Amino acid sequence: HDAVSLLFNTPADTPMTGSARPGRAIATSGISMKRVYDLCDATCSTLNHVALSCIDGAVHSYLAKHDIVLDHPISIQMPVNLRNGQDGSSGNRLGITVVDLAHPGLSPYRRLREIGFKLQNVKYQVAGIPAVAFEQFTFLAGGISEAISKLGLTDVLPTNGHAVVSNLPGPNNPRFVFGSRVERMYPISTLSPGLRLNITMFSYDGILHFGLVATRDLEDLQSLADQVVAEFNELDRAVRHRRTKP
């Protein structure tokens, strides 16, 4: 019942929220899709479950290195697909919902389970709302965020989550530009009003790429991108340990 978070209820207790200063930082990392899917199969999880679990753990670790320890979950703005495949229309139909990730302090495996449970609840809750109503709600929330930013109240009022996290499927086969193979394809996205961090995932040619965009308020952004990979390795070890226990 607590999968979807209340809007504009995120406390300003991290550098990830607030007004955006000029200038951006970009960081990237990647994980083998085979390793991701092997872990999904071993835990009966989806790619989103695994990726969000690693991102959640990485953000908490990153904040802890800057002497910020939260006693509440990280909240993210997450796009959800509103197309049911039955109306015959083309194009994208997306909505944005705010989701609380796992409670801090959990082991990697328990974090994965809690996030998987919450995302399943989000799926049920979104399915119970007409797509048109959800789209209108998304536009309204986005308009309110923009108005708060224009009025200069971003640093005063609670924000709508800590970060934006999205996942875009890409081509499974390599692409070429004038005969040269594209080795990496990192997603670079934009920031939402009041949020200083965007993490976008993009799968390409057997690699799940992570593209992080943030304001200069988040120091050493590359360490956060590297920590996502470290959290995946930790989760992988935890799952292998559980499977080998007598």
Side-chain angles (χ1 to χ4, degrees):
H1 296 290
D2 61 349
V4 175
S5 177
L6 293 176
L7 297 183
F8 303 101
N9 193 45
T10 304
D13 52 0
T14 76
M16 297 188 295
T17 63
S19 57
R21 296 187 299 173
R24 297 290 182 267
I26 296 174
T28 60
S29 61
I31 304 173
S32 164
M33 290 290 290
K34 183 181 184 306
R35 293 188 65 199
V36 174
Y37 282 131
D38 286 346
L39 190 54
C40 290
D41 291 340
T43 57
C44 297
S45 304
T46 69
L47 184 148
N48 273 342
H49 297 168
V50 171
L52 287 179
S53 178
C54 297
I55 290 173
D56 187 34
V59 172
H60 280 290
S61 296
Y62 172 83
L63 293 176
K65 291 179 182 178
H66 293 82
D67 299 322
I68 301 173
V69 179
L70 302 181
D71 59 357
H72 56 80
I74 296 293
S75 298
I76 63 169
Q77 287 188 22
M78 185 178 72
V80 293
N81 180 22
L82 301 179
R83 292 179 56 83
N84 55 21
Q86 300 175 356
D87 56 7
S89 62
S90 60
N92 296 325
R93 294 196 71 178
L94 297 175
I96 301 291
T97 187
V98 179
V99 181
D100 284 344
L101 298 181
H103 287 79
L106 296 180
S107 66
Y109 183 78
R110 291 190 178 276
R111 183 191 305 123
L112 173 66
R113 285 295 174 225
E114 181 170 332
I115 288 177
F117 177 76
K118 286 190 173 183
L119 290 187
Q120 191 68 18
N121 282 347
V122 169
K123 180 180 178 180
Y124 290 140
Q125 292 176 0
V126 171
I129 302 174
V132 173
F134 203 100
E135 283 181 315
Q136 293 173 345
F137 179 75
T138 298
F139 291 142
L140 176 62
I144 294 174
S145 295
E146 188 69 28
I148 291 174
S149 177
K150 294 295 185 182
L151 293 173
L153 300 176
T154 303
D155 296 326
V156 178
L157 300 178
T159 58
N160 201 15
H162 289 100
V164 178
V165 180
S166 57
N167 179 23
L168 300 173
N172 296 324
N173 300 318
R175 294 294 186 262
F176 296 83
V177 177
F178 296 108
S180 297
R181 175 172 173 161
V182 177
E183 297 290 344
R184 298 286 188 269
M185 196 176 293
Y186 294 109
I188 304 300
S189 191
T190 59
L191 301 180
S192 295
L195 304 186
R196 296 171 173 168
L197 175 65
N198 181 303
I199 302 177
T200 302
M201 296 168 276
F202 186 81
S203 55
Y204 166 68
D205 191 25
I207 300 178
L208 180 61
H209 294 106
F210 295 84
L212 285 66
V213 179
T215 68
R216 305 283 182 175
D217 301 272
L218 273 69
E219 301 176 359
D220 192 14
L221 189 64
Q222 185 59 48
S223 68
L224 176 55
D226 294 338
Q227 188 63 37
V228 174
V229 180
E231 291 292 335
F232 176 86
N233 292 333
E234 186 66 25
L235 176 60
D236 190 39
R237 284 192 293 268
V239 171
R240 291 178 184 276
H241 176 70
R242 290 179 66 91
R243 296 182 71 185
T244 56
K245 288 176 64 175

